[in-house]
Amino acid sequence: MGKHRRHSRREDTAQSAAERRVFHSPDDEDAQELDYWQPERLTLKAGIRILSWPMRLAYLLILTATAALNLYAWPKLPEEFPILQWFGYSSFMVSSLFYLIFVSCLLVFLVYRDVVNRSVSRRKLFIPLIFCLGNYYLLTDQLLALAG
């Protein structure tokens, strides 16, 4: 006689939940399984097309606000400024022009990854918004320190 394995209801629901989280490409039968929070990669045009108008507006607002703040801060910032500060001591100096260009390019890249469904986060808009706010607080802190 063979061994009979008892399946519990919890095992069945865990297995079916895991199966529900895995997406397959509808276009290719031999497609690799993708993680559940990274659905199929889209083209940029298709990604923009499936975004709702409020999401499109939010991404555009993030990019525009970052570009405007960087352009406003550029002539006012010193040639180099500290990125990290602990207990009043600066720990990392960076060229202000390099920082502004790097942050702008990084934000464009993060928005692109959100639009083509390859974000680092499950939630769209989260990562670009965090970087936008981080840039805002860092630059306003520098500008206020220079004004004071």
Side-chain angles (χ1 to χ4, degrees), residues 95-141:
S95 165
S96 59
L97 183 60
F98 172 77
Y99 171 78
L100 296 174
I101 291 171
F102 177 78
V103 166
S104 299
C105 292
L106 179 67
L107 214 50
V108 168
F109 174 73
L110 290 174
V111 167
Y112 168 77
R113 286 198 40 110
D114 261 11
V115 170
V116 298
N117 283 346
R118 285 290 168 247
S119 177
V120 179
S121 171
R122 294 179 203 183
R123 295 173 181 87
K124 290 199 179 263
L125 200 67
F126 182 71
I127 300 293
L129 184 63
I130 293 299
F131 275 85
C132 177
L133 291 175
N135 180 53
Y136 169 77
Y137 286 116
L138 187 91
L139 287 181
T140 54
D141 180 55

Short mmCIF file of all heavy atoms in Angstrom, two decimals, residues 95-141:
data_model
loop_
_atom_site.label_atom_id
_atom_site.label_comp_id
_atom_site.label_asym_id
_atom_site.label_seq_id
_atom_site.Cartn_x
_atom_site.Cartn_y
_atom_site.Cartn_z
N SER A 95 29.54 68.20 -5.54
CA SER A 95 29.37 69.35 -6.41
C SER A 95 27.87 69.61 -6.59
O SER A 95 27.10 68.69 -6.86
CB SER A 95 30.02 69.08 -7.77
OG SER A 95 29.58 70.01 -8.73
N SER A 96 27.47 70.86 -6.45
CA SER A 96 26.03 71.15 -6.53
C SER A 96 25.49 70.90 -7.94
O SER A 96 24.38 70.39 -8.09
CB SER A 96 25.75 72.58 -6.08
OG SER A 96 26.45 73.50 -6.89
N LEU A 97 26.26 71.23 -8.97
CA LEU A 97 25.79 70.99 -10.34
C LEU A 97 25.64 69.50 -10.61
O LEU A 97 24.63 69.05 -11.17
CB LEU A 97 26.74 71.61 -11.36
CG LEU A 97 26.33 71.49 -12.82
CD1 LEU A 97 24.99 72.16 -13.04
CD2 LEU A 97 27.39 72.07 -13.71
N PHE A 98 26.61 68.70 -10.16
CA PHE A 98 26.51 67.24 -10.32
C PHE A 98 25.29 66.71 -9.58
O PHE A 98 24.55 65.88 -10.11
CB PHE A 98 27.78 66.55 -9.80
CG PHE A 98 27.66 65.06 -9.76
CD1 PHE A 98 27.76 64.31 -10.92
CD2 PHE A 98 27.40 64.41 -8.56
CE1 PHE A 98 27.63 62.93 -10.88
CE2 PHE A 98 27.26 63.03 -8.51
CZ PHE A 98 27.38 62.29 -9.67
N TYR A 99 25.06 67.18 -8.37
CA TYR A 99 23.91 66.71 -7.59
C TYR A 99 22.59 67.02 -8.31
O TYR A 99 21.72 66.16 -8.41
CB TYR A 99 23.91 67.34 -6.20
CG TYR A 99 22.64 67.06 -5.45
CD1 TYR A 99 22.43 65.82 -4.84
CD2 TYR A 99 21.61 68.00 -5.38
CE1 TYR A 99 21.26 65.54 -4.19
CE2 TYR A 99 20.43 67.72 -4.73
CZ TYR A 99 20.26 66.49 -4.14
OH TYR A 99 19.08 66.20 -3.50
N LEU A 100 22.45 68.24 -8.80
CA LEU A 100 21.20 68.65 -9.45
C LEU A 100 20.95 67.84 -10.72
O LEU A 100 19.81 67.42 -10.99
CB LEU A 100 21.22 70.14 -9.74
CG LEU A 100 21.29 71.05 -8.51
CD1 LEU A 100 21.46 72.49 -8.93
CD2 LEU A 100 20.08 70.87 -7.63
N ILE A 101 21.98 67.61 -11.51
CA ILE A 101 21.83 66.82 -12.74
C ILE A 101 21.52 65.36 -12.39
O ILE A 101 20.63 64.75 -12.98
CB ILE A 101 23.09 66.93 -13.62
CG1 ILE A 101 23.21 68.34 -14.18
CG2 ILE A 101 23.05 65.91 -14.75
CD1 ILE A 101 24.51 68.63 -14.88
N PHE A 102 22.23 64.82 -11.40
CA PHE A 102 22.02 63.43 -11.00
C PHE A 102 20.60 63.20 -10.49
O PHE A 102 19.95 62.22 -10.87
CB PHE A 102 23.04 63.03 -9.93
CG PHE A 102 22.84 61.64 -9.42
CD1 PHE A 102 23.26 60.54 -10.16
CD2 PHE A 102 22.22 61.42 -8.19
CE1 PHE A 102 23.07 59.25 -9.69
CE2 PHE A 102 22.03 60.13 -7.71
CZ PHE A 102 22.45 59.05 -8.46
N VAL A 103 20.11 64.10 -9.65
CA VAL A 103 18.75 63.93 -9.09
C VAL A 103 17.70 64.03 -10.19
O VAL A 103 16.73 63.26 -10.22
CB VAL A 103 18.49 64.97 -7.98
CG1 VAL A 103 17.02 65.05 -7.64
CG2 VAL A 103 19.28 64.60 -6.74
N SER A 104 17.88 64.94 -11.12
CA SER A 104 16.92 65.07 -12.22
C SER A 104 16.89 63.81 -13.08
O SER A 104 15.81 63.30 -13.41
CB SER A 104 17.26 66.28 -13.09
OG SER A 104 17.19 67.45 -12.33
N CYS A 105 18.06 63.29 -13.43
CA CYS A 105 18.12 62.06 -14.23
C CYS A 105 17.57 60.86 -13.46
O CYS A 105 16.87 60.02 -14.03
CB CYS A 105 19.55 61.80 -14.67
SG CYS A 105 20.18 62.99 -15.85
N LEU A 106 17.88 60.78 -12.19
CA LEU A 106 17.38 59.69 -11.37
C LEU A 106 15.86 59.71 -11.29
O LEU A 106 15.20 58.67 -11.39
CB LEU A 106 17.98 59.75 -9.96
CG LEU A 106 17.50 58.68 -8.99
CD1 LEU A 106 17.99 57.31 -9.44
CD2 LEU A 106 17.99 58.98 -7.59
N LEU A 107 15.28 60.88 -11.15
CA LEU A 107 13.82 60.97 -11.06
C LEU A 107 13.16 60.59 -12.39
O LEU A 107 12.12 59.91 -12.39
CB LEU A 107 13.41 62.37 -10.63
CG LEU A 107 12.18 62.43 -9.77
CD1 LEU A 107 12.26 61.45 -8.62
CD2 LEU A 107 11.97 63.80 -9.23
N VAL A 108 13.75 61.00 -13.50
CA VAL A 108 13.21 60.60 -14.80
C VAL A 108 13.27 59.08 -14.94
O VAL A 108 12.31 58.44 -15.40
CB VAL A 108 13.97 61.30 -15.95
CG1 VAL A 108 13.64 60.68 -17.30
CG2 VAL A 108 13.67 62.78 -15.97
N PHE A 109 14.37 58.48 -14.51
CA PHE A 109 14.52 57.02 -14.56
C PHE A 109 13.49 56.32 -13.67
O PHE A 109 12.88 55.33 -14.07
CB PHE A 109 15.93 56.62 -14.16
CG PHE A 109 16.13 55.14 -14.05
CD1 PHE A 109 16.18 54.35 -15.19
CD2 PHE A 109 16.25 54.54 -12.81
CE1 PHE A 109 16.36 52.98 -15.08
CE2 PHE A 109 16.43 53.17 -12.70
CZ PHE A 109 16.48 52.38 -13.85
N LEU A 110 13.26 56.83 -12.47
CA LEU A 110 12.30 56.21 -11.56
C LEU A 110 10.87 56.30 -12.09
O LEU A 110 10.08 55.36 -11.96
CB LEU A 110 12.40 56.84 -10.18
CG LEU A 110 13.68 56.53 -9.41
CD1 LEU A 110 13.73 57.34 -8.12
CD2 LEU A 110 13.81 55.05 -9.13
N VAL A 111 10.53 57.42 -12.69
CA VAL A 111 9.20 57.56 -13.29
C VAL A 111 9.07 56.60 -14.47
O VAL A 111 8.04 55.93 -14.63
CB VAL A 111 8.94 59.02 -13.72
CG1 VAL A 111 7.72 59.12 -14.62
CG2 VAL A 111 8.77 59.90 -12.49
N TYR A 112 10.11 56.49 -15.28
CA TYR A 112 10.09 55.55 -16.40
C TYR A 112 9.87 54.12 -15.91
O TYR A 112 9.06 53.39 -16.46
CB TYR A 112 11.41 55.66 -17.18
CG TYR A 112 11.61 54.54 -18.17
CD1 TYR A 112 10.94 54.53 -19.39
CD2 TYR A 112 12.46 53.48 -17.89
CE1 TYR A 112 11.11 53.50 -20.29
CE2 TYR A 112 12.64 52.44 -18.78
CZ TYR A 112 11.97 52.46 -19.98
OH TYR A 112 12.14 51.44 -20.87
N ARG A 113 10.58 53.73 -14.85
CA ARG A 113 10.42 52.37 -14.32
C ARG A 113 9.01 52.13 -13.77
O ARG A 113 8.48 51.04 -13.88
CB ARG A 113 11.45 52.08 -13.24
CG ARG A 113 12.80 51.87 -13.86
CD ARG A 113 13.80 51.19 -13.01
NE ARG A 113 13.38 50.09 -12.20
CZ ARG A 113 13.72 48.82 -12.42
NH1 ARG A 113 14.43 48.52 -13.46
NH2 ARG A 113 13.34 47.88 -11.60
N ASP A 114 8.42 53.15 -13.18
CA ASP A 114 7.03 53.01 -12.72
C ASP A 114 6.08 52.82 -13.90
O ASP A 114 5.17 52.00 -13.85
CB ASP A 114 6.61 54.25 -11.95
CG ASP A 114 6.70 54.07 -10.45
OD1 ASP A 114 7.28 53.06 -10.02
OD2 ASP A 114 6.20 54.94 -9.72
N VAL A 115 6.28 53.58 -14.96
CA VAL A 115 5.37 53.54 -16.10
C VAL A 115 5.46 52.21 -16.84
O VAL A 115 4.44 51.69 -17.30
CB VAL A 115 5.65 54.73 -17.05
CG1 VAL A 115 4.90 54.60 -18.35
CG2 VAL A 115 5.28 56.03 -16.36
N VAL A 116 6.64 51.62 -16.95
CA VAL A 116 6.78 50.35 -17.68
C VAL A 116 6.63 49.13 -16.76
O VAL A 116 6.99 48.03 -17.14
CB VAL A 116 8.12 50.28 -18.46
CG1 VAL A 116 8.20 51.36 -19.49
CG2 VAL A 116 9.30 50.29 -17.53
N ASN A 117 6.10 49.33 -15.57
CA ASN A 117 5.82 48.25 -14.60
C ASN A 117 7.07 47.57 -14.09
O ASN A 117 7.08 46.36 -13.87
CB ASN A 117 4.89 47.20 -15.20
CG ASN A 117 3.47 47.65 -15.24
OD1 ASN A 117 3.11 48.64 -14.61
ND2 ASN A 117 2.65 46.97 -16.00
N ARG A 118 8.12 48.30 -13.85
CA ARG A 118 9.33 47.72 -13.30
C ARG A 118 9.80 48.50 -12.09
O ARG A 118 10.97 48.66 -11.85
CB ARG A 118 10.45 47.69 -14.35
CG ARG A 118 10.25 46.62 -15.36
CD ARG A 118 10.48 45.26 -14.73
NE ARG A 118 10.03 44.20 -15.58
CZ ARG A 118 9.00 43.41 -15.31
NH1 ARG A 118 8.30 43.57 -14.23
NH2 ARG A 118 8.68 42.44 -16.11
N SER A 119 8.87 48.99 -11.31
CA SER A 119 9.21 49.77 -10.13
C SER A 119 9.82 48.88 -9.06
O SER A 119 9.63 47.67 -9.04
CB SER A 119 7.95 50.43 -9.57
OG SER A 119 8.26 51.13 -8.39
N VAL A 120 10.55 49.51 -8.15
CA VAL A 120 11.11 48.80 -7.01
C VAL A 120 10.00 48.54 -5.98
O VAL A 120 10.11 47.67 -5.14
CB VAL A 120 12.25 49.63 -6.39
CG1 VAL A 120 12.85 48.94 -5.19
CG2 VAL A 120 13.32 49.88 -7.44
N SER A 121 8.93 49.29 -6.06
CA SER A 121 7.83 49.19 -5.11
C SER A 121 6.60 48.59 -5.78
O SER A 121 6.42 48.72 -6.99
CB SER A 121 7.49 50.58 -4.58
OG SER A 121 6.32 50.55 -3.81
N ARG A 122 5.75 47.99 -4.99
CA ARG A 122 4.49 47.47 -5.52
C ARG A 122 3.54 48.60 -5.87
O ARG A 122 2.66 48.44 -6.70
CB ARG A 122 3.80 46.60 -4.47
CG ARG A 122 4.54 45.37 -4.15
CD ARG A 122 3.81 44.60 -3.10
NE ARG A 122 4.76 43.73 -2.44
CZ ARG A 122 4.46 42.88 -1.51
NH1 ARG A 122 3.23 42.78 -1.10
NH2 ARG A 122 5.39 42.13 -0.98
N ARG A 123 3.70 49.71 -5.20
CA ARG A 123 2.77 50.82 -5.39
C ARG A 123 3.38 51.83 -6.36
O ARG A 123 4.47 52.32 -6.13
CB ARG A 123 2.48 51.50 -4.06
CG ARG A 123 1.76 50.59 -3.13
CD ARG A 123 1.64 51.20 -1.75
NE ARG A 123 0.96 50.30 -0.87
CZ ARG A 123 1.56 49.36 -0.17
NH1 ARG A 123 2.86 49.18 -0.27
NH2 ARG A 123 0.88 48.57 0.63
N LYS A 124 2.65 52.13 -7.38
CA LYS A 124 3.13 53.15 -8.31
C LYS A 124 3.19 54.49 -7.61
O LYS A 124 2.49 54.72 -6.63
CB LYS A 124 2.21 53.23 -9.52
CG LYS A 124 2.31 52.02 -10.40
CD LYS A 124 1.76 52.35 -11.77
CE LYS A 124 1.87 51.17 -12.67
NZ LYS A 124 3.02 51.19 -13.51
N LEU A 125 4.06 55.34 -8.08
CA LEU A 125 4.20 56.72 -7.61
C LEU A 125 4.94 56.84 -6.29
O LEU A 125 5.42 57.91 -5.94
CB LEU A 125 2.82 57.39 -7.52
CG LEU A 125 2.75 58.89 -7.50
CD1 LEU A 125 3.18 59.46 -8.82
CD2 LEU A 125 1.37 59.35 -7.16
N PHE A 126 5.08 55.76 -5.52
CA PHE A 126 5.67 55.84 -4.19
C PHE A 126 7.15 56.21 -4.23
O PHE A 126 7.58 57.16 -3.58
CB PHE A 126 5.47 54.50 -3.46
CG PHE A 126 6.01 54.50 -2.06
CD1 PHE A 126 5.37 55.22 -1.07
CD2 PHE A 126 7.15 53.79 -1.74
CE1 PHE A 126 5.87 55.22 0.22
CE2 PHE A 126 7.66 53.79 -0.46
CZ PHE A 126 7.01 54.51 0.52
N ILE A 127 7.95 55.48 -4.97
CA ILE A 127 9.40 55.71 -5.01
C ILE A 127 9.74 57.07 -5.63
O ILE A 127 10.52 57.83 -5.05
CB ILE A 127 10.12 54.56 -5.75
CG1 ILE A 127 9.88 53.23 -5.04
CG2 ILE A 127 11.61 54.84 -5.89
CD1 ILE A 127 10.50 53.11 -3.68
N PRO A 128 9.16 57.45 -6.78
CA PRO A 128 9.47 58.79 -7.30
C PRO A 128 9.06 59.91 -6.35
O PRO A 128 9.77 60.91 -6.21
CB PRO A 128 8.68 58.88 -8.62
CG PRO A 128 8.48 57.48 -9.03
CD PRO A 128 8.37 56.69 -7.77
N LEU A 129 7.94 59.74 -5.65
CA LEU A 129 7.50 60.76 -4.70
C LEU A 129 8.47 60.88 -3.53
O LEU A 129 8.79 61.99 -3.09
CB LEU A 129 6.09 60.44 -4.20
CG LEU A 129 5.46 61.46 -3.27
CD1 LEU A 129 5.30 62.79 -3.99
CD2 LEU A 129 4.13 60.97 -2.76
N ILE A 130 8.97 59.76 -3.03
CA ILE A 130 9.93 59.79 -1.93
C ILE A 130 11.21 60.52 -2.35
O ILE A 130 11.73 61.35 -1.61
CB ILE A 130 10.25 58.35 -1.46
CG1 ILE A 130 9.03 57.71 -0.84
CG2 ILE A 130 11.43 58.33 -0.50
CD1 ILE A 130 8.50 58.42 0.38
N PHE A 131 11.71 60.23 -3.55
CA PHE A 131 12.92 60.90 -4.01
C PHE A 131 12.67 62.38 -4.28
O PHE A 131 13.55 63.22 -4.02
CB PHE A 131 13.47 60.22 -5.27
CG PHE A 131 14.35 59.06 -4.96
CD1 PHE A 131 13.82 57.81 -4.72
CD2 PHE A 131 15.72 59.22 -4.88
CE1 PHE A 131 14.63 56.74 -4.42
CE2 PHE A 131 16.54 58.15 -4.57
CZ PHE A 131 15.99 56.91 -4.35
N CYS A 132 11.50 62.73 -4.77
CA CYS A 132 11.16 64.14 -4.99
C CYS A 132 11.13 64.89 -3.66
O CYS A 132 11.68 65.99 -3.53
CB CYS A 132 9.81 64.24 -5.69
SG CYS A 132 9.23 65.91 -5.96
N LEU A 133 10.50 64.31 -2.65
CA LEU A 133 10.44 64.95 -1.33
C LEU A 133 11.81 65.03 -0.67
O LEU A 133 12.14 66.03 -0.03
CB LEU A 133 9.46 64.20 -0.42
CG LEU A 133 7.99 64.32 -0.80
CD1 LEU A 133 7.14 63.44 0.10
CD2 LEU A 133 7.53 65.76 -0.74
N GLY A 134 12.62 63.98 -0.84
CA GLY A 134 13.98 64.01 -0.30
C GLY A 134 14.80 65.13 -0.91
O GLY A 134 15.52 65.85 -0.21
N ASN A 135 14.69 65.30 -2.23
CA ASN A 135 15.39 66.39 -2.91
C ASN A 135 14.89 67.74 -2.42
O ASN A 135 15.67 68.66 -2.17
CB ASN A 135 15.20 66.26 -4.42
CG ASN A 135 15.89 67.35 -5.18
OD1 ASN A 135 17.08 67.58 -5.03
ND2 ASN A 135 15.13 68.04 -6.02
N TYR A 136 13.57 67.86 -2.25
CA TYR A 136 12.98 69.12 -1.78
C TYR A 136 13.53 69.48 -0.39
O TYR A 136 13.97 70.61 -0.16
CB TYR A 136 11.46 68.99 -1.73
CG TYR A 136 10.78 70.12 -1.01
CD1 TYR A 136 10.63 71.36 -1.64
CD2 TYR A 136 10.32 69.97 0.29
CE1 TYR A 136 10.02 72.41 -0.97
CE2 TYR A 136 9.72 71.01 0.96
CZ TYR A 136 9.57 72.23 0.32
OH TYR A 136 8.98 73.27 0.99
N TYR A 137 13.52 68.53 0.53
CA TYR A 137 13.97 68.83 1.89
C TYR A 137 15.47 69.12 1.94
O TYR A 137 15.91 70.00 2.67
CB TYR A 137 13.61 67.69 2.85
CG TYR A 137 12.15 67.68 3.18
CD1 TYR A 137 11.34 66.62 2.83
CD2 TYR A 137 11.56 68.77 3.83
CE1 TYR A 137 9.98 66.63 3.12
CE2 TYR A 137 10.21 68.79 4.12
CZ TYR A 137 9.43 67.71 3.76
OH TYR A 137 8.10 67.73 4.05
N LEU A 138 16.25 68.41 1.15
CA LEU A 138 17.69 68.65 1.15
C LEU A 138 18.01 70.04 0.58
O LEU A 138 18.80 70.79 1.17
CB LEU A 138 18.41 67.57 0.33
CG LEU A 138 19.92 67.67 0.42
CD1 LEU A 138 20.41 66.82 1.56
CD2 LEU A 138 20.55 67.23 -0.87
N LEU A 139 17.38 70.39 -0.54
CA LEU A 139 17.67 71.70 -1.15
C LEU A 139 17.14 72.85 -0.32
O LEU A 139 17.81 73.88 -0.16
CB LEU A 139 17.11 71.75 -2.57
CG LEU A 139 17.86 70.95 -3.61
CD1 LEU A 139 17.23 71.11 -4.98
CD2 LEU A 139 19.33 71.32 -3.66
N THR A 140 15.93 72.71 0.21
CA THR A 140 15.41 73.82 1.04
C THR A 140 16.22 73.98 2.32
O THR A 140 16.41 75.11 2.78
CB THR A 140 13.92 73.61 1.39
OG1 THR A 140 13.73 72.32 1.99
CG2 THR A 140 13.04 73.74 0.15
N ASP A 141 16.73 72.89 2.88
CA ASP A 141 17.60 72.98 4.05
C ASP A 141 18.88 73.74 3.70
O ASP A 141 19.32 74.60 4.47
CB ASP A 141 17.93 71.58 4.57
CG ASP A 141 18.83 71.63 5.79
OD1 ASP A 141 18.45 72.31 6.77
OD2 ASP A 141 19.89 70.99 5.77
#
